Amino acid sequence: MTSIADIEIPADGTGLGELFETVPALTCEMERVIASSGHGLWLSGAAQPKIEDALAETSAIGSYSCITSEEERHLYDIEFEPETVDPFEVVLEEGGTVLSASASNGTWLLSVRVIDRESVSTLYDRLADDGVSPTIVRLFGLAEESRTQCGLTSRQYETLVAAIDHGYFEIPREVSMQELSDELDISHQALSERLRRAYRALVTSELNVTEEEATAPPLPSD
């Protein structure tokens, strides 16, 4: 099962360890899209001249360039020296995907997607072998997170997935509600009610509808 692991890694021993030692108040956040020639990292917490002095003095950084600035943070394209422990590259080499990464107080927090839970153990061992001390803060299934974020129960989530897999939402439908209820081994009425509750949960979540709005009386008909 595809899983998400939140992993803490001390910056000491990685490419930005020296940078955090020079500028302890520094905060760092990975850009949503990796820059073409390196890593896009938003740096803040100190004046830009101080940040650039620290970048220039960090031995693990091969090159850097400021892409843009907004308010008090600055986006840099950073390339590490080949021998540097780069946690982003380690994740990629082990078949994972870095969904988000941020660092403050000298500690990285990476949210990583992996193909299964066994891959987390492999990634953990690889990071440990590279001289850093990872800590698994949280490990959960992707389906579990998606369901929770949308406010669905596990049965509602499984029913919607089954409906999609069997073509219930196709035009024209590839399976009737009765056929789908037989497949799920529940009654036609139970399936109808479960789908309606799932629709309500999805719409309420995605449209950010409050509980008061969700329970408001229906509008008068024309």
Side-chain angles (χ1 to χ4, degrees):
M1 177 194 299
T2 302
S3 299
I4 306 293
D6 292 338
I7 306 174
E8 281 189 351
I9 302 173
D12 184 28
T14 69
L16 295 184
E18 291 180 45
L19 191 63
F20 278 99
E21 290 179 4
T22 306
V23 188
L26 186 74
T27 61
C28 176
E29 183 177 355
M30 183 187 76
E31 188 187 17
R32 291 302 180 184
V33 178
I34 295 296
S36 59
S37 58
H39 297 311
L41 299 174
W42 286 99
L43 303 180
S44 59
Q48 188 172 15
K50 186 174 183 179
I51 291 176
E52 297 216 341
D53 286 345
L55 287 169
E57 295 171 2
T58 300
S59 61
I61 295 178
S63 64
Y64 65 90
S65 60
C66 185
I67 299 173
T68 187
S69 298
E70 60 178 41
E71 298 180 352
E72 297 182 353
R73 67 176 191 156
H74 315 281
L75 176 61
Y76 282 88
D77 181 8
I78 295 177
E79 288 190 77
F80 296 117
E81 294 288 0
E83 68 277 8
T84 302
V85 176
D86 182 347
F88 301 134
E89 291 299 326
V90 172
V91 171
L92 292 175
E93 290 171 5
E94 295 300 327
T97 300
V98 179
L99 301 178
S100 65
S102 60
S104 61
N105 299 318
T107 301
W108 279 103
L109 177 60
L110 276 63
S111 182
V112 177
R113 184 175 67 228
V114 292
I115 58 174
D116 52 40
R117 299 197 175 212
E118 289 74 15
S119 300
V120 179
S121 297
T122 303
L123 177 58
Y124 181 96
D125 292 341
R126 170 69 187 281
L127 290 167
D129 289 343
D130 284 341
V132 297
S133 302
T135 300
I136 307 299
V137 178
R138 186 182 177 208
L139 177 63
F140 52 93
L142 183 59
E144 174 189 350
E145 179 70 359
S146 299
R147 171 178 63 78
T148 302
Q149 288 178 342
C150 295
L152 299 170
T153 67
S154 59
R155 287 184 177 179
Q156 289 168 357
Y157 179 86
E158 292 165 1
T159 299
L160 288 176
V161 170
I164 292 172
D165 288 344
H166 288 81
Y168 179 76
F169 296 114
E170 296 296 326
I171 301 175
R173 285 178 175 168
E174 298 176 0
V175 64
S176 68
M177 182 173 287
Q178 184 60 58
E179 291 170 329
L180 184 59
S181 65
D182 291 342
E183 181 69 26
L184 294 172
D185 196 24
I186 59 176
S187 69
H188 183 287
Q189 180 65 23
L191 174 60
S192 176
E193 292 178 0
R194 190 180 297 177
L195 285 174
R196 287 202 303 272
R197 291 192 180 99
Y199 299 155
R200 182 179 185 276
L202 284 174
V203 171
T204 302
S205 172
E206 292 302 313
L207 298 184
N208 197 26
V209 178
T210 66
E211 187 63 28
E212 290 77 9
E213 292 170 327
T215 57
L219 296 173
S221 59
D222 294 335

